[in-house]
Structure formats: C-alpha cells, structure tokens
Amino acid sequence: NNQAPYLIHCDLGKDRCGIVCAVIESLMGASSDEIVKDYMISFYNYFGIKPGSAEYEFVADNEIRPFLASIFGVKTIENINLPAAATRYLLKIGVESKDIEALKINLGTY
C-alpha cells in the first residue's frame, strides 16, 4: 500500500535482505548477472571478497545462484524468464497478485 522508496534491511545485508532484493530484482526484470553482482556487494563490503576472484565465484555459485534456482523451481537462473519465475514464487508463498502488481507499479518500471 505504500509508495516507493522501500527500506529493506538485515544484519549484514546478504541473507534476508539480499534474498528479498534478489527476488524483487528478478520480478522487475534484472538479469541474473545483475542480481548476482548486487548480491555479492555485501561479500565485498564485509569480507573483502573481490569480483573476479576464485572466492567471489565460489560464493556466487554456492549461495545466490542455487538459492534462487531452488525457490524458483529451476535448475539454473541463467536464461530463464526471471520476472515470471519471481511472480510464481511470490504467488506460491501467499503474496496476492494485486500486491505483486502494486509493487511493480510502485517501483516505477511496470
């Protein structure tokens, strides 16, 4: 019911907050690469894991990519319709379609 902007926060910004942001980014049409890059910012900020490093790829390949694939019910998040996958997931967990549409409108790119 509230207009954007929205504040989403948790302790480190990579767990609850990071997942919520990744789902919203998926819903709004971000690419899988954009979502992973945004998620990984917390790992750089808190743990110094730099983009392009083996640690960075390990975390991305073992945290955000498989988690999103799991909740979206797919093998990989690459080359799928992320907005549709996010919509299905949100409906499955009980978010009403009218609220999903309102969120997309409030975020301004729908």
Side-chain angles (χ1 to χ4, degrees):
N1 293 331
N2 298 318
Q3 296 297 312
Y6 303 108
L7 174 64
I8 303 168
H9 182 57
C10 67
D11 191 35
L12 293 179
K14 67 176 189 65
D15 297 317
R16 294 160 297 212
C17 177
I19 296 303
V20 167
C21 290
V23 171
I24 291 172
E25 284 183 272
S26 298
L27 180 69
M28 298 306 292
S31 71
S32 59
D33 289 339
E34 291 170 319
I35 295 164
V36 169
K37 183 178 176 185
D38 287 347
Y39 181 81
M40 291 301 295
I41 289 171
S42 292
F43 285 88
Y44 174 75
N45 290 340
Y46 285 97
F47 306 114
I49 297 175
K50 295 181 181 172
S53 69
E55 288 176 301
Y56 182 97
E57 293 306 320
F58 179 83
V59 171
D61 289 343
N62 289 282
E63 292 233 4
I64 190 62
R65 286 186 182 113
F67 186 85
L68 285 178
S70 174
I71 67 171
F72 291 165
V74 296
K75 291 185 185 225
T76 178
I77 61 169
E78 282 69 32
N79 303 313
I80 67 162
N81 183 331
L82 287 167
T87 299
R88 284 190 303 272
Y89 169 71
L90 291 170
L91 290 168
K92 179 180 172 183
I93 65 168
V95 179
E96 295 183 23
S97 59
K98 68 178 179 61
D99 294 327
I100 296 169
E101 296 306 312
L103 176 62
K104 292 174 5 183
I105 290 168
N106 287 343
L107 290 173
T109 59
Y110 181 65

